[in-house]
Amino acid sequence: MDKIIMFIGLFILSIGACKKPPIQNGDESLEDIPYNPTTYQVQSPPGLPQMEMPTTNLMTTQGIKLGRFLFYDPILSRDSSISCGSCHKIEKAFTDGRATALGIEGKIGTRSSMSLINVGYFWKQNRQNNFMWDGKFATLEEQALAPIEHPLEMDFTWDEIIVRLKRHPHYPKLFREAFGIQYKSGITKELAAKAIAQFERTLNSADSRYDQTEGPAKIPFEYLSEQELRGLQLFLGDTDGSAPTKDGECAHCHTFTQNKSLFARNDFSNNGLDSTQSLNGFVDNGLGDIISDATANGKFREVTLRNIGLTAPYMHDGRFATLEEVLDHYATGGHPSPNLDNILETAPDLKSLTQTEKGDIIAFLHTLTDSSYFNKAEWKTPFDQANPWE
């Protein structure tokens, strides 16, 4: 009788073994880890529009958690020395304070690290050129893949990163919880990019002193000083036929619609950084190279002015150290080129701005600074915690 019971036990165990494939080449089942994703709905800060979301990467709290770890983990760089967070620091509105980005081994990039604050709002579903200074990527997911293999950034390969992630003591579990993969072999660069993009879509900010107002027609003086109000009026220009008569033309590219504003037109333009008589004479062609159109050479993304006081130096190559230098540049009308933005050539008020008026505009721009998120634990690196993986 005992032999029969033993035989039955061994038979049951053999059936169980058939249901769960053996470990092969480092692959193993993750099905014992619960997969219960929690849907996450982005709540737009008051004053911002509703964020459009791709249906191919629905957000969950588990996906955001994984994305946050990957964003701050130097494991994604060849020598494990830098992470996404190295070039996107929370206290600098997720920029790095450098003219151009710094990669592994001190490699110097060619462009400035762009702010990630409110980055999710700049996606247009049917447009191919949504992200980066030159519009190279259509989605945040595509953009998240690129720095890894860029020779001046992380200088690694996704194949090697996937090996690291599969062998990691914690990442397989996080991928399982976020995306429901059944085996370690289910970890892919596409899922990693989706997670990073989910985290980036949570980095939304609109709690500046300006946001405590009710729009230009009802701005209470207790929130903005007289200088800041003058700057706002110059920023808007003569929109209603009243004083001031001068128009600083700022709202031309940094669109303003009452409080519901990202302070960015979400477009590309040539703002007169280079002087050239030919469309092929630009130092950096920007959008033109991406869409293979010489008429777009020298055009770059018009950035949001929210938190602009935190993101110096300015322009795609960081050539201007201060907002004062930026205003001085625009007041000259920019350097001549065949496709210079028309507003720089036809705006007499812009060229006649006094130093005082420039100072007023800059004072207003500083009211767009939101530092309230500096202490948001969910935006900071998890690796500063005593037990980050718990």
Side-chain angles (χ1 to χ4, degrees), residues 150-238:
H150 196 292
L152 298 180
E153 296 184 50
M154 294 179 171
D155 194 27
F156 207 20
T157 70
W158 271 107
D159 287 344
E160 291 172 293
I161 286 174
I162 296 306
V163 171
R164 286 185 179 181
L165 295 177
K166 288 178 180 177
R167 293 175 177 172
H168 196 275
H170 302 289
Y171 276 119
K173 177 177 182 289
L174 293 183
F175 273 91
R176 165 67 177 173
E177 293 172 338
F179 297 109
I181 61 172
Q182 294 178 299
Y183 300 91
K184 284 187 176 182
S185 59
I187 297 175
T188 65
K189 66 179 183 180
E190 289 80 12
L191 292 182
K194 282 186 174 183
I196 293 172
Q198 286 190 36
F199 172 65
E200 290 177 338
R201 290 189 178 102
T202 69
L203 306 178
N204 305 316
S205 157
D207 190 20
S208 65
R209 241 177 347 107
Y210 165 79
D211 293 301
Q212 299 172 25
T213 70
E214 301 177 34
K218 302 178 181 179
I219 293 177
F221 281 90
E222 62 263 31
Y223 292 128
L224 297 185
S225 69
E226 291 186 6
Q227 181 188 28
E228 292 161 351
L229 281 169
R230 292 196 304 268
L232 170 57
Q233 291 171 327
L234 287 165
F235 183 98
L236 294 175
D238 189 13

Coordinates of all heavy atoms in Angstrom, one line a residue, residues 150-238:
H150 N 23.1 55.5 -27.9 CA 23.8 56.7 -28.5 C 25.3 56.7 -28.0 O 25.5 56.6 -26.7 CB 23.1 58.0 -28.0 CG 23.5 59.2 -28.8 ND1 24.8 59.7 -28.8 CD2 22.8 60.0 -29.7 CE1 24.9 60.8 -29.6 NE2 23.7 60.9 -30.2
P151 N 26.2 56.8 -28.9 CA 27.7 56.7 -28.4 C 28.1 57.8 -27.5 O 29.1 57.7 -26.8 CB 28.4 56.8 -29.8 CG 27.5 57.4 -30.7 CD 26.1 57.0 -30.3
L152 N 27.4 59.0 -27.5 CA 27.8 60.1 -26.6 C 26.9 60.1 -25.4 O 27.1 61.0 -24.5 CB 27.6 61.4 -27.4 CG 28.5 61.6 -28.6 CD1 28.3 63.0 -29.2 CD2 30.0 61.4 -28.2
E153 N 26.1 59.1 -25.2 CA 25.2 59.1 -24.0 C 25.5 57.9 -23.2 O 26.5 57.8 -22.5 CB 23.7 59.2 -24.4 CG 23.5 60.6 -25.1 CD 22.0 60.8 -25.4 OE1 21.2 60.6 -24.5 OE2 21.7 61.2 -26.6
M154 N 24.7 56.8 -23.3 CA 24.9 55.6 -22.5 C 25.8 54.6 -23.2 O 26.3 53.7 -22.5 CB 23.6 55.1 -22.1 CG 22.8 56.0 -21.1 SD 21.2 55.3 -20.6 CE 20.7 56.5 -19.4
D155 N 25.9 54.7 -24.5 CA 26.9 53.9 -25.2 C 26.8 52.4 -24.9 O 27.8 51.8 -24.7 CB 28.3 54.4 -25.0 CG 29.3 53.9 -26.0 OD1 28.9 53.6 -27.1 OD2 30.5 53.8 -25.6
F156 N 25.6 51.9 -25.0 CA 25.4 50.5 -24.7 C 24.5 49.8 -25.7 O 24.2 50.5 -26.8 CB 24.7 50.4 -23.3 CG 25.0 49.1 -22.5 CD1 26.1 48.3 -22.8 CD2 24.2 48.7 -21.5 CE1 26.4 47.2 -22.1 CE2 24.5 47.5 -20.8 CZ 25.6 46.8 -21.1
T157 N 24.1 48.6 -25.5 CA 23.2 48.0 -26.5 C 22.0 47.4 -25.6 O 22.2 47.0 -24.5 CB 23.8 46.8 -27.2 OG1 24.1 45.7 -26.3 CG2 25.1 47.2 -27.9
W158 N 20.8 47.4 -26.3 CA 19.7 46.9 -25.6 C 19.8 45.4 -25.3 O 19.3 44.9 -24.3 CB 18.4 47.2 -26.3 CG 17.8 48.6 -25.9 CD1 17.9 49.7 -26.7 CD2 17.2 48.9 -24.7 NE1 17.3 50.7 -26.0 CE2 16.8 50.3 -24.8 CE3 16.9 48.2 -23.6 CZ2 16.2 50.9 -23.7 CZ3 16.2 48.8 -22.5 CH2 15.9 50.2 -22.6
D159 N 20.4 44.7 -26.2 CA 20.6 43.2 -26.0 C 21.3 43.0 -24.7 O 21.0 42.1 -23.9 CB 21.4 42.6 -27.2 CG 20.5 42.5 -28.4 OD1 19.3 42.6 -28.3 OD2 21.1 42.3 -29.5
E160 N 22.4 43.7 -24.5 CA 23.2 43.5 -23.2 C 22.4 44.0 -22.0 O 22.5 43.4 -20.9 CB 24.5 44.3 -23.3 CG 25.4 43.7 -24.4 CD 26.7 44.5 -24.6 OE1 26.5 45.6 -25.2 OE2 27.8 44.1 -24.3
I161 N 21.6 45.1 -22.2 CA 20.8 45.5 -21.0 C 19.8 44.5 -20.7 O 19.5 44.2 -19.5 CB 20.1 46.8 -21.4 CG1 21.1 48.0 -21.4 CG2 18.9 47.1 -20.4 CD1 20.6 49.3 -21.8
I162 N 19.1 43.9 -21.7 CA 18.1 42.8 -21.4 C 18.7 41.7 -20.6 O 18.1 41.1 -19.7 CB 17.5 42.3 -22.7 CG1 16.7 43.5 -23.3 CG2 16.5 41.2 -22.4 CD1 15.7 44.2 -22.5
V163 N 20.0 41.3 -20.9 CA 20.7 40.3 -20.2 C 20.8 40.7 -18.7 O 20.6 39.9 -17.8 CB 22.0 40.0 -20.8 CG1 22.8 39.0 -19.9 CG2 21.9 39.3 -22.2
R164 N 21.2 41.9 -18.5 CA 21.4 42.4 -17.1 C 20.0 42.4 -16.4 O 20.0 42.0 -15.2 CB 21.9 43.9 -17.1 CG 23.4 44.0 -17.5 CD 23.8 45.5 -17.4 NE 25.2 45.7 -17.7 CZ 25.8 46.8 -17.6 NH1 25.1 47.9 -17.3 NH2 27.1 46.9 -17.9
L165 N 19.0 42.8 -17.0 CA 17.7 42.9 -16.4 C 17.1 41.5 -16.0 O 16.5 41.3 -15.0 CB 16.7 43.6 -17.3 CG 17.0 45.1 -17.5 CD1 15.9 45.7 -18.5 CD2 17.0 45.9 -16.2
K166 N 17.4 40.5 -16.9 CA 16.9 39.2 -16.7 C 17.6 38.6 -15.5 O 17.1 37.8 -14.7 CB 17.1 38.3 -17.9 CG 16.2 38.6 -19.1 CD 16.5 37.7 -20.3 CE 15.6 38.0 -21.4 NZ 16.0 37.2 -22.6
R167 N 18.9 38.9 -15.3 CA 19.7 38.3 -14.2 C 19.5 39.1 -12.9 O 20.0 38.6 -11.9 CB 21.2 38.3 -14.6 CG 21.5 37.4 -15.8 CD 23.0 37.6 -16.2 NE 23.4 36.7 -17.2 CZ 24.5 36.7 -17.9 NH1 25.4 37.6 -17.6 NH2 24.8 35.8 -18.8
H168 N 18.9 40.2 -13.0 CA 18.8 41.1 -11.8 C 17.8 40.4 -10.8 O 16.9 39.8 -11.1 CB 18.2 42.4 -12.2 CG 18.3 43.5 -11.2 ND1 17.4 43.7 -10.2 CD2 19.3 44.5 -11.1 CE1 17.8 44.7 -9.4 NE2 18.9 45.2 -9.9
P169 N 18.1 40.6 -9.5 CA 17.3 40.0 -8.5 C 15.9 40.5 -8.3 O 15.0 39.9 -7.7 CB 18.1 40.2 -7.2 CG 19.0 41.4 -7.5 CD 19.3 41.3 -8.9
H170 N 15.6 41.8 -8.9 CA 14.4 42.4 -8.6 C 13.6 42.7 -9.9 O 12.4 42.8 -9.9 CB 14.5 43.7 -7.8 CG 15.2 43.4 -6.5 ND1 14.5 42.8 -5.5 CD2 16.4 43.7 -6.0 CE1 15.3 42.7 -4.4 NE2 16.5 43.3 -4.7
Y171 N 14.3 43.1 -11.0 CA 13.6 43.5 -12.2 C 12.6 42.5 -12.8 O 11.5 42.9 -13.3 CB 14.6 44.0 -13.2 CG 15.0 45.5 -13.0 CD1 16.3 45.8 -12.8 CD2 14.0 46.5 -13.0 CE1 16.7 47.1 -12.5 CE2 14.4 47.8 -12.8 CZ 15.7 48.1 -12.5 OH 16.1 49.4 -12.3
P172 N 12.9 41.2 -12.9 CA 11.9 40.3 -13.4 C 10.6 40.4 -12.7 O 9.5 40.4 -13.4 CB 12.6 38.9 -13.2 CG 14.1 39.2 -13.3 CD 14.2 40.5 -12.6
K173 N 10.6 40.5 -11.4 CA 9.4 40.7 -10.6 C 8.6 41.9 -11.0 O 7.4 41.9 -11.2 CB 9.7 40.7 -9.1 CG 8.5 40.9 -8.2 CD 8.9 40.8 -6.8 CE 7.7 40.9 -5.8 NZ 7.2 42.3 -5.8
L174 N 9.4 43.0 -11.2 CA 8.7 44.3 -11.5 C 8.1 44.3 -12.9 O 7.0 44.8 -13.2 CB 9.7 45.5 -11.4 CG 10.2 45.8 -10.0 CD1 11.2 47.0 -10.1 CD2 9.1 46.1 -9.0
F175 N 8.8 43.6 -13.8 CA 8.3 43.5 -15.2 C 7.0 42.6 -15.2 O 6.0 42.9 -15.9 CB 9.3 42.9 -16.1 CG 10.2 43.9 -16.8 CD1 11.4 44.3 -16.2 CD2 9.9 44.5 -18.0 CE1 12.2 45.2 -16.7 CE2 10.7 45.5 -18.6 CZ 11.9 45.8 -18.0
R176 N 7.0 41.5 -14.4 CA 5.9 40.7 -14.3 C 4.7 41.5 -13.7 O 3.6 41.4 -14.2 CB 6.2 39.5 -13.3 CG 5.0 38.7 -12.8 CD 4.3 38.0 -13.9 NE 3.2 37.2 -13.3 CZ 2.3 36.5 -14.0 NH1 2.3 36.6 -15.3 NH2 1.3 35.8 -13.4
E177 N 4.9 42.2 -12.7 CA 3.8 43.0 -12.0 C 3.3 44.1 -12.9 O 2.1 44.4 -12.9 CB 4.3 43.6 -10.7 CG 4.6 42.5 -9.6 CD 5.3 43.1 -8.4 OE1 5.9 44.2 -8.5 OE2 5.2 42.5 -7.3
A178 N 4.2 44.7 -13.8 CA 3.8 45.8 -14.6 C 3.1 45.3 -15.9 O 2.1 45.9 -16.4 CB 5.0 46.6 -15.0
F179 N 3.6 44.2 -16.5 CA 3.2 43.8 -17.8 C 2.7 42.4 -17.9 O 2.3 41.9 -19.0 CB 4.3 44.1 -18.9 CG 4.7 45.5 -19.0 CD1 5.9 46.0 -18.5 CD2 3.8 46.4 -19.6 CE1 6.2 47.3 -18.6 CE2 4.1 47.8 -19.7 CZ 5.4 48.2 -19.2
G180 N 2.8 41.6 -16.9 CA 2.2 40.3 -16.9 C 3.0 39.2 -17.6 O 2.5 38.2 -18.1
I181 N 4.3 39.5 -17.8 CA 5.1 38.5 -18.6 C 5.2 37.2 -17.8 O 5.1 37.2 -16.6 CB 6.5 39.0 -18.8 CG1 7.3 39.3 -17.5 CG2 6.5 40.3 -19.7 CD1 8.7 39.7 -17.7
Q182 N 5.2 36.1 -18.5 CA 5.2 34.8 -17.9 C 6.5 34.2 -17.5 O 6.7 33.5 -16.6 CB 4.4 33.8 -18.8 CG 2.9 34.1 -18.9 CD 2.2 33.2 -19.8 OE1 2.6 33.0 -21.0 NE2 1.3 32.4 -19.3
Y183 N 7.5 34.7 -18.3 CA 8.9 34.2 -18.2 C 9.9 35.3 -18.2 O 9.5 36.4 -18.8 CB 9.2 33.2 -19.3 CG 8.3 31.9 -19.3 CD1 7.2 31.9 -20.0 CD2 8.7 30.8 -18.5 CE1 6.4 30.8 -20.0 CE2 7.8 29.7 -18.5 CZ 6.7 29.7 -19.2 OH 5.8 28.6 -19.2
K184 N 11.1 35.1 -17.7 CA 12.1 36.2 -17.8 C 12.4 36.6 -19.3 O 12.7 37.7 -19.5 CB 13.4 35.7 -17.1 CG 13.3 35.7 -15.6 CD 14.7 35.4 -15.0 CE 14.7 35.5 -13.5 NZ 16.0 35.2 -12.9
S185 N 12.2 35.6 -20.2 CA 12.4 35.9 -21.6 C 11.4 37.0 -22.1 O 11.6 37.5 -23.2 CB 12.3 34.6 -22.4 OG 11.0 34.0 -22.3
G186 N 10.4 37.2 -21.4 CA 9.4 38.3 -21.8 C 9.9 39.7 -21.6 O 9.3 40.6 -22.0
I187 N 11.0 39.9 -20.9 CA 11.6 41.2 -20.7 C 12.1 41.7 -22.0 O 13.0 41.0 -22.6 CB 12.7 41.2 -19.6 CG1 12.1 40.8 -18.2 CG2 13.3 42.6 -19.5 CD1 13.1 40.7 -17.1
T188 N 11.7 42.8 -22.5 CA 12.1 43.4 -23.8 C 12.4 44.8 -23.6 O 12.0 45.5 -22.7 CB 11.0 43.2 -24.9 OG1 9.9 43.9 -24.5 CG2 10.7 41.7 -25.0
K189 N 13.1 45.3 -24.6 CA 13.4 46.8 -24.6 C 12.1 47.6 -24.8 O 12.0 48.7 -24.3 CB 14.4 47.1 -25.7 CG 14.0 46.9 -27.1 CD 15.0 47.3 -28.1 CE 14.5 47.2 -29.6 NZ 15.6 47.6 -30.6
E190 N 11.2 47.0 -25.6 CA 9.9 47.7 -25.8 C 9.1 47.9 -24.5 O 8.6 49.0 -24.2 CB 9.1 47.0 -26.8 CG 9.6 47.0 -28.2 CD 10.7 46.0 -28.5 OE1 11.0 45.2 -27.7 OE2 11.4 46.2 -29.6
L191 N 9.1 46.9 -23.6 CA 8.4 47.0 -22.4 C 9.2 48.0 -21.4 O 8.6 48.8 -20.7 CB 8.3 45.7 -21.7 CG 7.3 44.7 -22.4 CD1 7.3 43.4 -21.6 CD2 6.0 45.3 -22.5
A192 N 10.5 48.0 -21.5 CA 11.3 48.9 -20.7 C 11.0 50.3 -21.1 O 10.8 51.2 -20.2 CB 12.8 48.6 -20.8
A193 N 10.9 50.6 -22.4 CA 10.6 51.9 -22.9 C 9.2 52.3 -22.5 O 8.9 53.5 -22.2 CB 10.8 52.0 -24.4
K194 N 8.3 51.4 -22.6 CA 6.9 51.7 -22.1 C 6.8 52.1 -20.7 O 6.1 53.1 -20.3 CB 6.0 50.5 -22.4 CG 5.6 50.3 -23.8 CD 4.5 49.2 -23.9 CE 4.0 49.1 -25.3 NZ 3.0 48.0 -25.5
A195 N 7.6 51.4 -19.8 CA 7.6 51.8 -18.4 C 8.2 53.2 -18.2 O 7.6 54.0 -17.4 CB 8.4 50.7 -17.6
I196 N 9.3 53.4 -18.8 CA 9.9 54.8 -18.7 C 9.0 55.9 -19.1 O 8.8 56.9 -18.5 CB 11.3 54.8 -19.4 CG1 12.3 53.9 -18.8 CG2 11.8 56.3 -19.5 CD1 13.6 53.7 -19.6
A197 N 8.3 55.6 -20.3 CA 7.4 56.6 -20.8 C 6.2 56.8 -19.8 O 5.7 58.0 -19.6 CB 6.9 56.2 -22.1
Q198 N 5.7 55.8 -19.2 CA 4.7 55.9 -18.2 C 5.1 56.8 -17.1 O 4.3 57.7 -16.6 CB 4.2 54.5 -17.7 CG 3.4 53.7 -18.7 CD 2.8 52.5 -18.0 OE1 2.4 52.5 -16.9 NE2 2.8 51.4 -18.8
F199 N 6.3 56.6 -16.5 CA 6.8 57.4 -15.5 C 6.9 58.9 -15.9 O 6.5 59.8 -15.2 CB 8.2 56.9 -15.0 CG 8.9 57.8 -14.0 CD1 8.3 58.1 -12.8 CD2 10.0 58.5 -14.4 CE1 8.9 58.9 -11.8 CE2 10.7 59.4 -13.5 CZ 10.1 59.6 -12.2
E200 N 7.4 59.1 -17.1 CA 7.6 60.5 -17.6 C 6.2 61.2 -17.8 O 6.2 62.4 -17.6 CB 8.3 60.5 -18.9 CG 9.8 60.1 -18.8 CD 10.5 60.0 -20.1 OE1 9.9 59.8 -21.1 OE2 11.8 60.1 -20.0
R201 N 5.2 60.5 -18.1 CA 3.9 61.1 -18.2 C 3.3 61.5 -16.9 O 2.2 62.2 -16.9 CB 2.9 60.1 -19.0 CG 3.3 59.9 -20.4 CD 2.2 59.2 -21.2 NE 2.6 59.1 -22.6 CZ 3.1 58.0 -23.2 NH1 3.3 56.9 -22.5 NH2 3.5 58.0 -24.5
T202 N 3.9 61.2 -15.8 CA 3.4 61.6 -14.5 C 4.0 62.9 -14.1 O 3.6 63.5 -13.0 CB 3.6 60.6 -13.4 OG1 5.0 60.4 -13.1 CG2 3.1 59.2 -13.8
L203 N 5.1 63.4 -14.8 CA 5.9 64.5 -14.3 C 5.2 65.8 -14.8 O 5.7 66.6 -15.6 CB 7.3 64.4 -14.9 CG 8.0 63.1 -14.6 CD1 9.4 63.1 -15.3 CD2 8.2 62.9 -13.1
N204 N 4.1 66.1 -14.2 CA 3.2 67.3 -14.6 C 3.2 68.3 -13.6 O 2.9 68.1 -12.4 CB 1.8 66.8 -15.0 CG 1.9 65.6 -16.0 OD1 2.7 65.7 -17.0 ND2 1.2 64.6 -15.8
S205 N 3.3 69.6 -14.0 CA 3.5 70.7 -13.0 C 2.8 71.9 -13.5 O 3.0 72.4 -14.7 CB 5.0 71.0 -12.9 OG 5.2 72.3 -12.4
A206 N 1.9 72.5 -12.7 CA 1.3 73.8 -13.0 C 0.8 74.4 -11.7 O -0.4 74.6 -11.5 CB 0.2 73.6 -14.0
D207 N 1.8 74.6 -10.8 CA 1.4 75.2 -9.5 C 2.4 76.3 -9.2 O 3.0 76.4 -8.1 CB 1.5 74.1 -8.4 CG 0.9 74.6 -7.1 OD1 0.1 75.5 -7.1 OD2 1.3 74.0 -6.0
S208 N 2.6 77.2 -10.1 CA 3.4 78.4 -10.0 C 2.6 79.5 -9.4 O 1.4 79.4 -9.2 CB 4.0 78.8 -11.3 OG 3.0 79.2 -12.2
R209 N 3.3 80.6 -9.1 CA 2.6 81.8 -8.6 C 1.6 82.3 -9.7 O 0.5 82.8 -9.4 CB 3.6 82.9 -8.3 CG 3.5 83.3 -6.8 CD 4.4 84.3 -6.3 NE 5.5 84.7 -7.1 CZ 5.6 85.8 -7.8 NH1 4.6 86.7 -7.8 NH2 6.7 86.1 -8.5
Y210 N 2.0 82.2 -10.9 CA 1.1 82.6 -12.0 C -0.2 81.8 -12.0 O -1.3 82.3 -12.3 CB 1.8 82.4 -13.4 CG 0.8 82.4 -14.5 CD1 0.3 83.6 -15.0 CD2 0.3 81.3 -15.1 CE1 -0.6 83.7 -16.0 CE2 -0.6 81.3 -16.1 CZ -1.1 82.5 -16.5 OH -2.0 82.5 -17.5
D211 N -0.1 80.5 -11.7 CA -1.3 79.6 -11.7 C -2.2 79.9 -10.6 O -3.4 79.4 -10.6 CB -0.8 78.2 -11.6 CG -0.1 77.7 -12.9 OD1 -0.7 77.8 -13.9 OD2 1.1 77.3 -12.7
Q212 N -1.8 80.8 -9.7 CA -2.8 81.2 -8.6 C -3.6 82.4 -9.0 O -4.5 82.8 -8.3 CB -2.0 81.6 -7.3 CG -1.1 80.4 -6.8 CD -0.2 80.9 -5.7 OE1 -0.5 81.9 -5.0 NE2 0.9 80.1 -5.5
T213 N -3.4 82.8 -10.3 CA -4.2 83.9 -10.8 C -5.4 83.3 -11.6 O -5.6 82.1 -11.7 CB -3.4 84.7 -11.8 OG1 -3.2 83.9 -13.0 CG2 -2.1 85.1 -11.2
E214 N -6.2 84.2 -12.1 CA -7.4 83.8 -12.9 C -7.4 84.2 -14.3 O -8.4 84.3 -15.0 CB -8.7 84.4 -12.2 CG -8.8 84.0 -10.8 CD -10.1 84.7 -10.1 OE1 -11.0 84.9 -10.9 OE2 -10.0 85.1 -9.0
G215 N -6.2 84.4 -14.8 CA -6.1 84.8 -16.2 C -5.8 86.3 -16.4 O -5.9 87.0 -15.4
P216 N -5.4 86.7 -17.5 CA -4.9 88.1 -17.7 C -5.9 89.2 -17.4 O -5.5 90.3 -17.0 CB -4.4 88.1 -19.1 CG -5.2 87.1 -19.8 CD -5.3 86.0 -18.8
A217 N -7.2 88.9 -17.5 CA -8.2 89.9 -17.3 C -8.5 90.1 -15.8 O -9.1 91.1 -15.5 CB -9.5 89.6 -18.1
K218 N -8.2 89.1 -15.0 CA -8.6 89.2 -13.6 C -7.4 88.9 -12.7 O -7.6 88.4 -11.6 CB -9.7 88.1 -13.4 CG -10.9 88.3 -14.2 CD -11.9 87.2 -13.9 CE -13.1 87.3 -14.8 NZ -14.1 86.2 -14.5
I219 N -6.2 89.2 -13.1 CA -5.1 88.9 -12.2 C -5.1 89.8 -11.0 O -5.0 91.0 -11.0 CB -3.8 89.1 -13.0 CG1 -3.7 88.1 -14.1 CG2 -2.6 89.0 -12.1 CD1 -2.5 88.2 -15.0
P220 N -5.1 89.2 -9.8 CA -5.1 90.0 -8.6 C -3.7 90.4 -8.2 O -2.7 89.6 -8.4 CB -5.6 89.0 -7.5 CG -5.3 87.6 -8.1 CD -5.4 87.8 -9.6
F221 N -3.5 91.6 -7.8 CA -2.2 92.2 -7.5 C -1.5 91.5 -6.4 O -0.3 91.5 -6.2 CB -2.3 93.7 -7.2 CG -2.4 94.5 -8.5 CD1 -3.7 94.8 -9.0 CD2 -1.3 95.0 -9.1 CE1 -3.8 95.5 -10.1 CE2 -1.5 95.7 -10.3 CZ -2.7 96.0 -10.8
E222 N -2.2 90.8 -5.5 CA -1.6 90.1 -4.4 C -0.7 89.0 -4.9 O 0.1 88.5 -4.1 CB -2.6 89.6 -3.4 CG -3.6 88.6 -3.9 CD -4.9 89.2 -4.3 OE1 -4.9 90.4 -4.7 OE2 -5.9 88.6 -4.1
Y223 N -0.9 88.5 -6.1 CA -0.1 87.4 -6.6 C 1.0 87.9 -7.5 O 2.1 87.2 -7.5 CB -1.0 86.4 -7.3 CG -1.9 85.6 -6.5 CD1 -3.3 85.6 -6.8 CD2 -1.5 85.0 -5.3 CE1 -4.2 84.9 -6.0 CE2 -2.4 84.3 -4.5 CZ -3.7 84.3 -4.8 OH -4.6 83.6 -4.0
L224 N 0.8 88.9 -8.3 CA 1.9 89.4 -9.2 C 2.2 90.8 -8.8 O 1.3 91.6 -8.5 CB 1.4 89.3 -10.6 CG 1.1 88.0 -11.2 CD1 0.8 88.1 -12.7 CD2 2.3 87.0 -11.0
S225 N 3.5 91.1 -8.8 CA 3.9 92.5 -8.6 C 3.6 93.4 -9.8 O 3.3 92.9 -10.9 CB 5.4 92.5 -8.3 OG 6.1 92.2 -9.5
E226 N 3.7 94.7 -9.6 CA 3.5 95.6 -10.7 C 4.5 95.3 -11.9 O 4.1 95.4 -13.0 CB 3.6 97.1 -10.2 CG 2.5 97.5 -9.3 CD 2.6 99.0 -9.0 OE1 3.5 99.7 -9.6 OE2 1.8 99.4 -8.1
Q227 N 5.7 95.0 -11.5 CA 6.7 94.7 -12.6 C 6.3 93.4 -13.3 O 6.4 93.4 -14.6 CB 8.1 94.5 -12.0 CG 9.1 94.2 -13.1 CD 10.5 93.8 -12.5 OE1 10.6 93.3 -11.4 NE2 11.6 94.1 -13.2
E228 N 5.8 92.4 -12.6 CA 5.4 91.2 -13.2 C 4.2 91.4 -14.1 O 4.1 90.8 -15.2 CB 5.2 90.1 -12.1 CG 6.5 89.7 -11.4 CD 6.2 89.0 -10.1 OE1 5.1 89.0 -9.6 OE2 7.2 88.5 -9.5
L229 N 3.3 92.2 -13.7 CA 2.1 92.5 -14.5 C 2.5 93.2 -15.8 O 2.0 92.9 -16.8 CB 1.1 93.4 -13.7 CG 0.3 92.7 -12.7 CD1 -0.4 93.6 -11.7 CD2 -0.7 91.8 -13.4
R230 N 3.5 94.1 -15.6 CA 3.9 94.8 -16.9 C 4.6 93.8 -17.8 O 4.4 93.9 -19.0 CB 4.9 95.9 -16.5 CG 4.4 97.1 -15.8 CD 5.3 98.3 -15.8 NE 6.7 98.0 -15.3 CZ 7.0 98.1 -14.0 NH1 6.2 98.6 -13.1 NH2 8.3 97.8 -13.6
G231 N 5.3 92.9 -17.2 CA 5.9 91.8 -18.1 C 4.9 91.0 -18.7 O 5.1 90.6 -19.9
L232 N 3.8 90.6 -18.0 CA 2.8 89.8 -18.6 C 2.1 90.6 -19.8 O 1.8 90.0 -20.8 CB 1.7 89.5 -17.6 CG 0.4 88.8 -18.1 CD1 0.7 87.6 -18.9 CD2 -0.5 88.5 -16.9
Q233 N 1.9 91.9 -19.6 CA 1.3 92.6 -20.6 C 2.1 92.7 -21.9 O 1.7 92.6 -23.0 CB 0.9 94.0 -20.1 CG -0.2 94.0 -19.1 CD -0.4 95.4 -18.4 OE1 0.6 96.1 -18.2 NE2 -1.6 95.7 -18.0
L234 N 3.4 92.9 -21.7 CA 4.4 92.9 -22.8 C 4.4 91.5 -23.4 O 4.6 91.4 -24.7 CB 5.8 93.3 -22.3 CG 5.9 94.8 -22.0 CD1 7.2 95.0 -21.2 CD2 6.0 95.6 -23.3
F235 N 4.3 90.4 -22.6 CA 4.3 89.1 -23.1 C 3.1 88.8 -24.0 O 3.3 88.3 -25.1 CB 4.3 88.1 -21.9 CG 4.4 86.7 -22.3 CD1 5.5 86.0 -22.2 CD2 3.2 86.0 -22.7 CE1 5.6 84.6 -22.6 CE2 3.3 84.6 -23.0 CZ 4.5 83.9 -22.9
L236 N 2.0 89.3 -23.6 CA 0.8 89.2 -24.4 C 0.7 90.1 -25.6 O 0.1 89.8 -26.6 CB -0.5 89.3 -23.5 CG -0.7 88.3 -22.4 CD1 -1.9 88.8 -21.5 CD2 -0.9 87.0 -23.0
G237 N 1.1 91.3 -25.4 CA 1.0 92.4 -26.4 C -0.4 93.0 -26.3 O -1.1 92.8 -25.3
D238 N -0.7 93.8 -27.3 CA -1.9 94.6 -27.3 C -3.1 93.8 -27.8 O -3.5 93.9 -28.9 CB -1.7 95.9 -28.1 CG -2.9 96.8 -28.0 OD1 -3.7 96.7 -27.1 OD2 -3.0 97.8 -28.8

